[in-house]
């Protein structure tokens, strides 16, 4: 999670004086390059072979000699293990303090060079951004959520990057009145006035980056606790404010994670990290006291484990979990008995993973083991947690992914054949025996591929709220009556600009992996623009790690690809969790290469079925998905025209050998521990930085965040430097490092659109699809 400019000897004949001038130009500040680019017609030409200094060259007005990119200096750094010697010439780019002048200068040069290359298509990029922004209803509200006597919601304002957190009183509120799917928040002159609890736009004014990780209202609705990150490094400050006046309550709590929960109305539980950003301590804070007086509820000393926190839907208990990649055990905190501290609920047993909730006189536990790899649901009495009853048994074809409890119902979020399911079970009255559950009620969905997510719902009601979208259906919020089966749409994201869902087609296809495994692919395109004869441009996205499910969902900015004739596809490759736990197990550790060969198989299937051709296929992945992109570029660079690797985890072996780097120790169960010889050589065989070779590569865009705590900026920087030095093609490679952001890039909603516009412009430029005022990368 990781300047010297060399002039190619064969270019010396073009004139040393000009090359010296060009060398100085590359080092100019970005603002000067921008002004130059604004008045120049720029065509991106070719990169040179590994013997050349530049990986790309630029002609201005088609008459000037080429402009070489920054070339990182080489400083030999040898690493030896198991008799194997690796030389990393770019190890010097790692600076944990992010303050080394040489490193920052090199990153600034890369940004300036990227801006220079893209200046010729800046007009098109700006038009694309305006098109994306034009689809947004800038002044809008989220679906109001009932909590006690209030409706809570978020409001966006025209021209503003961030949201306001708001609430309104419910007229004639009766605590015991049943909720209905038809309930709506009153608005207008006769309605209770809107109250703005917190305006993120005001809070963000003095920061380049601003993100609220959690926003929690106290049970009595009088206070709000929220977590704030102003750098993108995911180190949060906790603030408590009066919900009516906004006045601070006590001093902020510092160096925390975004895990916070109310323990009644006068106390908070929160989690902090160690020096490697591992969440390791759970604390109890009583309002009105100093942070130094807080009680440490639990300290997880095993560096393979990290802590998380969640409240029960009943608001009676808080659950602290300690988890590794294969094991998770749980504690409970009785909010009515804070003095008792944490109590072990499920013991620590290697390979057993438990998530817990509560209703009545029982704890409900979702439990996974080697035998029950797709999980089962069990229950145990509060007074005897060792006496368990199986409510839903393990099934090999259905993965239980999550559970949500209500006073009378259990909602189970499942996966079958790669698709999410929601099944509802009626529970016996509290106090009655719990037995095996049967005949659940399934919620039906129409799209062939889609995404479903749980939303916060009132525990004592019969109304389930969930979110839904597909690649052609904008994000929607539904209230579902679990007694009657009636579902009511409460909110659908407004998409302006003439969007019609009926113009788009979503499909689900299956590709055959080398071992015969069938890999699902989700596809969307605009039916009136696509020919399906191999000539269409296609962007293929992949991730394939951590059991994460990349379900097909809607993204309004993606319409700017689809409406320009692109097909968009997601490869649901092994290492993810789409097809169950075994799908994940078969794409990790010593089976990690299945992730890469699955992706290649999906690309080949799409070409075979005439969705695209090599000359029209682009690929994209972020973080661990960036590892995927780096690996397949080394394995099969001939398949792709362009690639985008966002904050990519590409220096796998070096990172996983260094336990001082955040996430390393806790991820040995994901990637393997390279201090063991078998894992060392297996990881070396696919680690992108270690496998760059003298061969042709497609056009490549790599991004990073300087403050990224998950994937250090130096990893993509080293990858780019080594590619530039070794590749033999005449394609472009660009590196863009955000100095004021972390793993999730910039924080503002319009800033994120600008990033999308930049990436899409790069892709269309690589395919020579930019109108004449710009220039292709060919």
């Amino acid at each position: 999670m990781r300047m010297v400019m060399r002039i190619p000897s064969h270019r010396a004949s073009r004139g040393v004086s000009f090359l010296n001038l060009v060398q100085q130009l590359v080092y100019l500040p970005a603002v000067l390059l921008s002004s130059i680019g604004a008045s120049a017609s720029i065509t991106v030409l070719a990169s040179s072979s590994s013997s050349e200094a530049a990986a790309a060259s630029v002609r201005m007005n088609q008459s000037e000699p080429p402009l070489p990119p920054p070339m990182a200096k080489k400083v030999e750094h040898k690493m030896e293990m198991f008799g194997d010697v690796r030389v990393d010439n770019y190890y010097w780019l790692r600076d944990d303090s992010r303050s080394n002048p040489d490193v920052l200068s090199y990153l600034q040069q890369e940004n300036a060079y990227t801006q220079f290359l893209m200046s010729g298509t800046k007009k098109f990029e700006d038009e694309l951004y305006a098109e994306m922004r034009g689809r947004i209803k800038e002044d809008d509200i989220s679906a109001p959520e009932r909590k006690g006597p209030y409706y809570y919601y978020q409001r966006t304002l025209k021209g503003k990057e961030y949201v306001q957190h708001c609430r309104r009183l419910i007229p004639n509120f009766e605590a015991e009145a049943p909720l209905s799917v038809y309930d709506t928040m009153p608005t207008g002159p006769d309605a209770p006035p809107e109250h703005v609890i917190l305006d993120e736009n005001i809070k963000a004014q003095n920061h380049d980056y601003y993100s609220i990780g959690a926003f929690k209202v106290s049970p009595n609705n009088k206070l709000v606790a929220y977590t704030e990150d102003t750098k993108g490094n995911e180190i949060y400050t906790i603030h408590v404010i009066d919900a009516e006046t906004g006045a601070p309550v006590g001093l902020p709590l510092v160096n925390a994670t975004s895990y916070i929960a109310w323990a009644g109305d006068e106390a908070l539980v929160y989690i902090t990290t160690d020096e490697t950003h591992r969440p390791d301590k759970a604390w109890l804070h009583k309002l009105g006291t100093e942070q130094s007086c807080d009680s440490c509820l639990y300290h997880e000393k095993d560096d393979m484990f990290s802590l998380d926190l969640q409240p029960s839907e009943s608001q009676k208990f808080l659950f602290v979990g300690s988890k590794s990649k294969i094991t998770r055990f749980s504690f409970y905190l009785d909010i009515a008995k804070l003095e008792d501290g944490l109590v072990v609920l499920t013991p620590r047993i290697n390979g057993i993973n438990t998530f817990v909730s509560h209703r009545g006189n029982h704890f409900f536990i979702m439990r996974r083991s080697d035998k029950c790899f797709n999980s089962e649901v069990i229950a145990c009495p509060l007074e005897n947690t060792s006496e368990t009853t199986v409510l839903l048994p393990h099934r090999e074809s259905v993965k239980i992914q999550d559970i949500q409890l209500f006073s009378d119902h259990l909602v189970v979020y499942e996966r079958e054949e790669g698709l999410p399911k929601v099944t509802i079970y009626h529970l016996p009255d509290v106090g009655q025996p719990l037995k095996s559950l049967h005949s659940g009620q399934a919620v039906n969905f129409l799209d062939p591929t889609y995404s479903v997510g749980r939303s916060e719902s009132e525990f004592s009601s019969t109304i389930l709220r969930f979110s839904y979208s597909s690649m052609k259906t904008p994000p929607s919020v539904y209230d579902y009556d679990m007694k009657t089966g009636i579902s009511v749409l409460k909110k659908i994201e407004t998409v302006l600009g003439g969007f019609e869902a009926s113009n788009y087609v979503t499909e689900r296809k299956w590709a055959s992996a080398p071992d015969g495994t069938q890999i699902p692919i989700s596809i969307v395109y605009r039916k009136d623009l696509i020919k399906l004869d191999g000539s269409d441009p296609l962007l293929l996205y992949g991730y394939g790690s951590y059991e994460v499910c990349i379900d097909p969902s809607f993204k309004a900015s993606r319409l700017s690809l689809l409406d320009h004739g692109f097909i968009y596809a997601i490869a649901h490759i092994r290492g993810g969790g789409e097809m169950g736990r075994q799908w994940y197990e078969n794409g990790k550790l010593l089976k990690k290469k299945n992730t890469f060969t699955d992706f290649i198989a999906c690309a080949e299937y799409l070409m075979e079925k005439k969705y695209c051709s090599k000359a029209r296929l682009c690929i994209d992945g972020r973080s661990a998905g960036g590892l995927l992109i780096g690996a397949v570029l080394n394995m099969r660079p001939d398949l792709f025209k362009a690639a985008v690797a966002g904050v990519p985890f590409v220096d796998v072996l070096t990172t996983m050998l260094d336990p001082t780097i955040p996430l390393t120790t806790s991820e040995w169960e994901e990637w393997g521990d390279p201090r063991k010889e078998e894992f060392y050589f297996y990881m070396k065989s696919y680690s992108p930085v270690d496998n760059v070779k003298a061969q042709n590569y497609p056009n490549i865009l790599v991004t990073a965040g300087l403050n990224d705590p998950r994937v250090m900026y130096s990893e993509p920087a080293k990858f780019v430097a080594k590619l530039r030095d070794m590749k033999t093609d005449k394609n472009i490679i660009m590196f863009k490092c955000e100095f004021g952001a972390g793993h999730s890039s910039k924080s503002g909603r319009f800033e994120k659109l600008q990033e999308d516009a930049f990436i899409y412009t790069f892709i269309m430029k690589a395919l020579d699809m930019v109108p004449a005022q710009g220039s292709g990368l060919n």
Side-chain angles (χ1 to χ4, degrees):
M1 303 178 190
R2 316 307 150 240
M3 284 130 265
V4 173
M5 181 83 68
R6 295 182 295 145
I7 304 301
S9 58
H10 79 281
R11 287 184 179 168
S13 61
R14 295 183 184 266
V16 173
S17 60
F18 174 81
L19 286 172
N20 288 340
L21 175 64
V22 163
Q23 185 175 6
Q24 295 173 30
L25 183 60
V26 171
Y27 289 87
L28 287 175
V31 65
L32 296 183
L33 291 178
S34 177
S35 64
I36 293 171
S39 61
S41 172
I42 298 175
T43 301
V44 180
L45 297 177
S47 71
S48 51
S49 69
S50 60
S51 65
E52 297 176 337
S57 51
V58 177
R59 290 191 187 274
M60 300 182 66
N61 298 321
Q62 298 292 318
S63 61
E64 301 288 356
L67 173 68
M71 297 294 288
K73 66 184 177 183
K74 290 184 176 181
V75 179
E76 186 178 274
H77 178 83
K78 288 186 178 181
M79 298 170 284
E80 182 174 357
M81 182 166 277
F82 304 117
D84 178 62
V85 178
R86 292 183 300 135
V87 177
D88 185 349
N89 291 318
Y90 307 107
Y91 191 87
W92 68 272
L93 283 169
R94 176 184 168 185
D95 170 33
D96 292 2
S97 71
R98 275 87 167 169
S99 62
N100 183 296
D102 288 343
V103 172
L104 294 179
S105 175
Y106 172 72
L107 296 176
Q108 289 165 347
Q109 293 157 26
E110 286 284 5
N111 283 347
Y113 179 69
T114 292
Q115 184 175 352
F116 187 83
L117 291 186
M118 294 294 286
S119 59
T121 49
K122 189 63 169 68
K123 182 174 183 290
F124 176 76
E125 181 184 329
D126 290 343
E127 291 170 352
L128 208 59
Y129 167 70
E131 177 182 299
M132 293 175 180
R133 186 162 174 173
R135 295 193 186 94
I136 296 176
K137 187 178 186 300
E138 294 191 18
D139 52 338
D140 204 358
I141 67 169
S142 62
E145 172 189 312
R146 283 190 63 156
K147 179 179 172 60
Y150 294 95
Y151 281 106
Y152 288 88
Y153 54 96
Q154 294 180 353
R155 178 177 292 280
T156 54
L157 303 175
K158 186 174 180 61
K160 299 295 185 180
E161 292 276 9
Y162 301 97
V163 303
Q164 293 178 329
H165 298 265
C166 307
R167 74 180 182 186
R168 287 181 191 262
L169 275 169
I170 300 173
N172 305 314
F173 172 73
E174 297 179 20
E176 302 303 321
L179 302 188
S180 166
V181 292
Y182 301 109
D183 289 340
T184 57
M185 182 180 73
T187 57
D190 297 329
E194 174 178 278
H195 173 64
V196 178
I197 303 171
L198 182 74
D199 189 337
E200 291 187 18
N201 297 289
I202 295 174
K203 300 291 291 183
Q205 283 177 350
N206 298 319
H207 304 288
D208 292 332
Y209 180 95
Y210 190 82
S211 176
I212 287 184
F215 186 89
K216 305 287 187 180
V217 180
S218 63
N220 63 8
N221 293 280
K222 293 182 178 181
L223 303 174
V224 167
Y226 66 93
T227 63
E228 179 184 74
D229 174 10
T230 59
K231 293 184 178 179
N233 59 7
E234 300 177 41
I235 299 174
Y236 291 87
T237 298
I238 301 171
H239 299 270
V240 179
I241 59 173
D242 184 291
E244 277 299 313
T245 67
V249 177
L251 296 175
L253 309 177
V254 299
N255 296 323
T257 68
S258 60
Y259 289 118
I260 58 170
W262 285 98
D265 293 316
E266 299 179 350
L268 285 170
V269 173
Y270 65 99
I271 291 176
T272 59
T273 65
D274 64 11
E275 61 278 0
T276 65
H277 291 265
R278 179 179 65 91
D280 70 327
K281 290 180 180 178
W283 300 85
L284 177 65
H285 172 74
K286 295 183 178 179
L287 300 186
T289 64
E290 300 285 338
Q291 185 174 5
S292 59
C293 300
D294 292 350
S295 303
C296 184
L297 298 172
Y298 180 68
H299 180 196
E300 179 53 79
K301 297 179 181 180
D302 188 333
D303 60 10
M304 296 282 284
F305 284 75
S306 59
L307 302 183
D308 60 34
L309 171 67
Q310 68 179 68
S312 67
E313 293 93 344
S314 66
Q315 297 189 2
K316 302 291 186 184
F317 294 90
L318 297 181
F319 300 109
V320 173
S322 182
K323 61 183 179 182
S324 72
K325 289 294 182 290
I326 62 173
T327 302
R328 187 178 188 276
F329 59 103
S330 300
F331 304 86
Y332 70 82
L333 177 67
D334 188 334
I335 292 175
K337 301 177 182 178
L338 295 180
E339 65 278 3
D340 289 352
L342 291 183
V343 179
V344 175
L345 176 53
T346 55
R348 176 172 174 161
I349 302 174
N350 189 51
I352 303 294
N353 184 294
T354 57
F355 284 86
V356 186
S357 194
H358 162 260
R359 177 246 190 197
N361 54 354
H362 284 85
F363 290 121
F364 287 66
I365 303 169
M366 185 176 73
R367 182 173 64 184
R368 191 193 71 233
S369 63
D370 290 341
K371 180 180 179 182
C372 300
F373 51 82
N374 276 335
S375 299
E376 59 183 348
V377 178
I378 63 175
C380 64
L382 301 185
E383 66 275 8
N384 185 4
T385 57
S386 62
E387 180 187 325
T388 60
T389 300
V390 176
L391 303 181
L392 291 173
H394 170 260
R395 292 157 291 172
E396 290 196 8
S397 61
V398 179
K399 173 186 176 181
I400 299 174
Q401 193 161 334
D402 196 6
I403 60 173
Q404 185 176 6
L405 274 163
F406 293 78
S407 55
D408 295 320
H409 295 87
L410 170 67
V411 179
V412 182
Y413 297 85
E414 302 169 309
R415 303 193 70 86
E416 187 171 16
E417 288 297 308
L419 294 176
K421 295 175 55 180
V422 179
T423 308
I424 298 163
Y425 296 89
H426 186 269
L427 296 173
D429 293 340
V430 173
Q432 297 298 312
L434 283 174
K435 299 179 181 179
S436 180
L437 300 175
H438 302 282
S439 303
Q441 173 184 341
V443 180
N444 296 318
F445 306 106
L446 298 178
D447 290 297
T449 63
Y450 54 88
S451 175
V452 176
R454 64 178 285 176
S455 297
E456 192 164 333
S457 306
E458 283 280 309
F459 174 75
S460 60
S461 77
T462 63
I463 309 302
L464 167 68
R465 172 163 288 191
F466 63 85
S467 60
Y468 174 85
S469 79
S470 75
M471 289 197 285
K472 69 172 188 176
T473 306
S476 310
V477 175
Y478 287 88
D479 278 353
Y480 181 89
D481 191 315
M482 293 182 284
K483 280 188 175 180
T484 66
I486 295 173
S487 180
V488 175
L489 177 65
K490 307 302 289 186
K491 174 75 177 179
I492 184 167
E493 181 181 294
T494 301
V495 182
L496 305 176
F499 169 75
E500 291 288 345
S502 59
N503 290 336
Y504 303 87
V505 175
T506 59
E507 298 176 349
R508 193 171 188 234
K509 301 296 181 181
W510 300 82
S512 293
D515 62 3
T517 301
Q518 296 297 293
I519 314 299
I521 309 172
S522 297
I523 300 170
V524 64
Y525 54 86
R526 183 162 168 162
K527 61 186 178 183
D528 60 332
L529 298 180
I530 299 304
K531 297 180 285 294
L532 297 180
D533 61 358
S535 67
D536 300 307
L538 187 147
L539 179 60
L540 177 62
Y541 181 85
Y543 188 78
S545 292
Y546 301 114
E547 204 176 358
V548 170
C549 301
I550 306 296
D551 286 325
S553 58
F554 187 86
K555 186 177 182 181
S557 63
R558 189 190 299 142
L559 295 174
S560 289
L561 282 182
L562 303 182
D563 290 354
H564 280 80
F566 269 79
I567 299 171
Y568 182 82
I570 302 171
H572 302 287
I573 49 186
R574 281 175 286 186
E578 289 93 335
M579 299 287 287
R581 179 71 181 185
Q582 294 302 303
W583 197 252
Y584 165 61
E585 296 284 357
N586 288 325
K588 63 180 290 198
L589 298 175
L590 297 174
K591 297 180 181 179
K592 187 61 203 172
K593 289 184 184 178
N594 283 338
T595 303
F596 316 137
T597 53
D598 285 358
F599 190 82
I600 291 169
C602 290
E604 291 176 328
Y605 171 87
L606 291 167
M607 288 186 283
E608 176 192 345
K609 298 302 180 182
K610 303 296 183 182
Y611 284 94
C612 64
S613 64
K614 289 183 180 181
R616 306 293 277 171
L617 175 58
C618 305
I619 57 175
D620 182 21
R622 284 182 56 85
S623 192
L627 160 62
L628 164 71
I629 300 302
V632 300
L633 283 175
N634 286 330
M635 295 167 68
R636 289 295 308 274
D638 60 298
L639 285 181
F640 316 112
K641 181 65 175 178
V644 179
V647 292
F649 173 37
V650 283
D651 198 13
V652 181
L653 184 55
T654 300
T655 292
M656 297 309 295
L657 280 167
D658 188 346
T660 68
I661 294 177
L663 303 181
T664 293
T665 56
S666 63
E667 298 206 352
W668 282 332
E669 291 177 341
E670 175 78 22
W671 311 101
D673 183 352
R675 298 174 303 176
K676 300 174 182 177
E677 186 171 0
E678 183 180 24
F679 286 108
Y680 175 91
F681 285 105
Y682 186 79
M683 294 167 74
K684 184 186 177 185
S685 72
Y686 70 75
S687 175
V689 166
D690 290 288
N691 286 278
V692 173
K693 58 180 72 76
Q695 62 179 350
N696 289 349
Y697 286 87
N699 301 294
I700 302 171
L701 169 64
V702 181
T703 67
L706 184 64
N707 297 323
D708 192 338
R710 297 173 182 265
V711 179
M712 287 187 67
Y713 72 90
S714 53
E715 293 203 35
K718 290 162 66 171
F719 186 52
V720 168
K722 194 169 182 179
L723 278 169
R724 282 229 180 96
D725 183 58
M726 297 192 69
K727 72 194 195 75
T728 57
D729 58 84
K730 295 187 175 184
N731 292 318
I732 196 74
I733 180 167
M734 293 193 301
F735 181 43
K736 184 180 183 183
C737 181
E738 295 290 352
F739 274 57
H743 197 64
S744 300
S745 190
K746 293 183 178 180
S747 54
R749 57 175 177 153
F750 301 133
E751 291 176 321
K752 291 183 182 297
L753 286 184
Q754 288 173 329
E755 182 177 86
D756 288 345
F758 178 85
I759 291 171
Y760 291 172
T761 298
F762 164 78
I763 290 170
M764 284 190 257
K765 199 171 184 181
L767 296 178
D768 202 21
M769 293 177 64
V770 176
Q773 57 83 27
S775 59
L777 287 170
N778 297 324

